Amino acid sequence: MPFLGRLKSVQCWFLLGGIMSSVSSHPTWRSRWVFIMAAAGSAVGLGNLWKFPYILGENGGAAFLVLYLFCIVLVGIPVMMAEILIGRRARSNPIAAVTRLANESQLSKHWSLMGIMGVFTGLLILSFYSVIAGWSLHYISVAVQGGFTSISPDESGKVFGAMLASKGTLIGWHSVFMLISLLVVGFGVEKGLGNAVKVLMPLLFFMLIGLLIYSFFEGNFHASMAFLFEFDISELTWNSVGVAFGHAFFTLSLGMGAIMAYGAYLPEKAPIGRVVLSVAIIDTLVALVAGIVIFSIVFAHEGLSASDGPGLLFQSLPVAFGGMPGSTVIATVFFVLVAIAALSSAISLMEPAVAWLNESFNVPRWGGVLGFSALAWALGLGTVLSFNDWSKYTLYDKTFFDWLDLITTNILLPLGGLAIAIFVGWRMKEAYVKDSLNQDNPVLINLIWLILRYVSPVILLGIFTLLIANVVGFDLIALMTKD
Ligand code: TRP
């Protein structure tokens, strides 16, 4: 048991890298690398490979990227630090952790609502996350059968379209993914997935580097780089501001307690600032490489378009794989890696709720896991139908899935993040906060702390105000600049 820290009884916790622990004795991981891997496993997922490229494509490329990086640095990194701080200081599940720290600083017990909102947000996200992860499972089955060999963009679009049209296929793979996730969270990941992820996540990274090299020689690398890095501010819309913001939370797994739950296992001596930077850098690199690769392929083929939406990853990459020697193996391995990345993220959406039900209400772990995943599964059917039978039922042009994504990613996660920033930045006693951060480089940690206090909440409140004003029809910017 290479990573065990002060372990007394082995139960209930899971995680990457062969970690076992118990909530009752609150052991810690022996090294910060285990935490970094666990947090990176949660952060790197469909958000990086599937979502980031398509929202980038829909929102005009470079201008959106700048905004997104800005959100990662000025909001994502500070909020991640705050989440880890809460988790590590309280060493328990997110809801109990917030309650305990609110107590410690003599604050209202209503702060625990923040954690309950997080559990609810996790449920909503898991419901659609599992459906999309199911797409990657379906793609494994197509790839294994050689279904992508020499495929044209047109045919690739048809494969994707046929999948979306078939409710049975979508529900089947959604169910399989949910089942695997619930087994993993139920049994504990330490043996199976723990070891698998240790190998497979680096493999995903190497494969992405391989694809990057491929796209340099075979794709339209130049156009891709221009799309990603040639900044044109006129491309930005209010909608893209909201999307970039929400995605900074989504991609770093922030705003609902997932990282807080992991923080509960971070060793006392680990420097939080540097840990947070490592996770944010890994996550951003994976997203950037995925983006560069996908757009190099898109711009090299007629029939693929940057604004293809949620199908972008699934329509573009098979075209590239199909033209390579050994396409069956390469495509299969790639979609297996996507599915594994999704799995290590999905478990972090489930774990806070399961730990909370277990510790606070004595719900047996299996009971919590089954109940939570059954709810998420049922809700996921709405997402399945959004791509076929219900695609015509829209509200303001958005399907059920679009609304779910918008409400969770663009509203609930940033709201959770705002609450976390205010809690740690303004409400917790400063001495406690400083005490929790004192192992790190003082310049780095003070910088992040100041951003958390003075910049993140202001940006978040500002964006919320502008978005609301925009929705109700006020163009605040125009009002402000009018003379
Ligand atoms: N970050 C993951 C991704 O990019 C998704 C995810 C896992 C998540 N846990 C989360 C998103 C918690 C928000 C909150 O795919």
Side-chain angles (χ1 to χ4, degrees):
M1 291 190 279
F3 292 112
L4 290 190
R6 303 177 269 122
L7 184 71
K8 297 199 186 70
S9 62
V10 177
Q11 28 156 288
C12 79
W13 240 64
F14 62 99
L15 262 192
L16 317 178
I19 313 120
M20 286 186 281
S21 50
S22 101
V23 172
S24 52
S25 57
H26 297 301
T28 53
W29 295 326
R30 195 155 74 207
S31 96
R32 75 176 109 134
W33 288 108
V34 183
F35 175 86
I36 293 176
M37 274 182 38
S42 163
V44 173
L46 296 173
N48 308 60
L49 305 169
W50 160 75
K51 197 168 186 203
F52 175 72
Y54 94 73
I55 56 178
L56 191 75
E58 283 181 335
N59 290 282
F64 180 82
L65 179 62
V66 170
L67 203 63
Y68 161 81
L69 292 175
F70 176 85
C71 302
I72 294 280
V73 174
L74 293 184
V75 185
I77 288 176
V79 170
M80 191 191 285
M81 180 185 84
E83 277 207 30
I84 297 176
L85 184 153
I86 296 175
R88 181 169 75 175
R89 190 167 180 82
R91 296 228 183 273
S92 53
N93 73 73
I95 296 171
V98 175
T99 312
R100 188 171 302 172
L101 296 195
N103 246 333
E104 182 188 55
S105 292
Q106 284 129 32
L107 305 172
S108 155
K109 60 179 188 313
H110 294 310
W111 277 102
S112 63
L113 284 177
M114 175 166 110
I116 295 174
M117 183 174 93
V119 164
F120 178 66
T121 311
L123 176 75
L124 299 185
I125 295 181
L126 182 64
S127 82
F128 70 80
Y129 206 82
S130 168
V131 175
I132 313 294
W135 296 0
S136 65
L137 296 181
H138 173 68
Y139 267 59
I140 297 173
S141 78
V142 177
V144 170
Q145 299 166 44
F148 297 134
T149 314
S150 317
I151 196 170
S152 70
D154 233 27
E155 290 160 340
S156 176
K158 289 203 180 100
V159 172
F160 184 69
M163 174 185 76
L164 290 192
S166 162
K167 274 175 291 184
T169 306
L170 295 183
I171 294 175
W173 290 116
H174 164 48
S175 312
V176 172
F177 184 81
M178 196 63 90
L179 192 69
I180 300 175
S181 311
L182 84 84
L183 289 175
V184 166
V185 179
F187 277 121
V189 180
E190 67 278 358
K191 295 206 188 68
L193 194 74
N195 291 326
V197 168
K198 257 196 309 190
V199 181
L200 294 175
M201 292 299 283
L203 191 61
L204 174 67
F205 202 73
F206 284 123
M207 187 141 187
L208 283 171
I209 299 295
L211 284 171
L212 189 66
I213 296 169
Y214 166 88
S215 59
F216 184 77
F217 290 108
E218 298 286 326
N220 193 343
F221 194 76
H222 191 74
S224 175
M225 294 304 271
F227 184 67
L228 273 141
F229 300 109
E230 279 175 18
F231 180 80
D232 176 1
I233 192 137
S234 68
E235 301 269 1
L236 278 185
T237 62
W238 282 116
N239 184 47
S240 46
V241 174
V243 175
F245 240 78
H247 191 66
F249 284 91
F250 187 91
T251 192
L252 293 176
S253 302
L254 298 177
M256 58 73 64
I259 295 295
M260 215 183 274
Y262 284 20
Y265 297 83
L266 186 66
E268 215 57 61
K269 291 209 166 53
I272 293 189
R274 274 173 281 169
V275 162
V276 167
L277 285 186
S278 316
V279 176
I281 289 172
I282 294 172
D283 187 77
T284 306
L285 279 181
V286 172
L288 280 179
V289 174
I292 296 172
V293 168
I294 288 178
F295 290 112
S296 301
I297 297 165
V298 166
F299 295 133
H301 292 92
E302 295 268 332
L304 292 173
S305 147
S307 52
D308 269 341
L312 187 65
L313 166 79
F314 293 92
Q315 291 177 54
S316 59
L317 280 182
V319 175
F321 295 141
M324 298 175 188
S327 66
T328 302
V329 176
I330 298 175
T332 307
V333 172
F334 180 79
F335 285 108
V336 168
L337 297 176
V338 174
I340 297 279
L343 187 60
S344 64
S345 299
I347 57 180
S348 76
L349 288 162
M350 225 186 266
E351 181 60 27
V354 175
W356 174 54
L357 292 172
N358 181 258
E359 291 166 27
S360 304
F361 300 97
N362 280 327
V363 177
R365 255 187 97 74
W366 276 108
V369 167
L370 286 171
F372 193 79
S373 41
L375 272 178
W377 180 85
L379 203 60
L381 299 180
T383 294
V384 165
L385 294 172
S386 300
F387 291 100
N388 38 66
D389 292 8
W390 290 2
S391 61
K392 54 185 179 295
Y393 301 124
T394 56
L395 187 65
Y396 294 105
D397 241 17
K398 291 189 189 309
T399 61
F400 178 86
F401 160 70
D402 295 332
W403 277 107
L404 206 55
D405 180 30
L406 183 107
I407 290 170
T408 53
T409 310
N410 297 354
I411 299 174
L412 292 175
L413 294 178
L415 216 54
L418 179 64
I420 291 163
I422 292 176
F423 184 79
V424 174
W426 293 95
R427 303 300 293 141
M428 259 178 81
K429 292 228 165 78
E430 199 168 325
Y432 297 147
V433 176
K434 290 278 152 78
D435 170 54
S436 300
L437 295 175
N438 66 8
Q439 351 53 22
D440 212 330
N441 175 328
V443 176
L444 174 70
I445 212 73
N446 274 317
L447 183 67
I448 306 183
W449 160 247
L450 287 176
I451 300 179
L452 178 76
R453 247 169 102 84
Y454 296 104
V455 183
S456 316
V458 175
I459 296 185
L460 279 166
L461 282 171
I463 302 262
F464 273 127
T465 315
L466 288 170
L467 289 178
I468 292 168
N470 194 43
V471 169
V472 296
F474 278 121
D475 190 342
L476 280 186
I477 299 285
L479 285 179
M480 283 188 293
T481 50
K482 205 166 74 178
D483 46 28

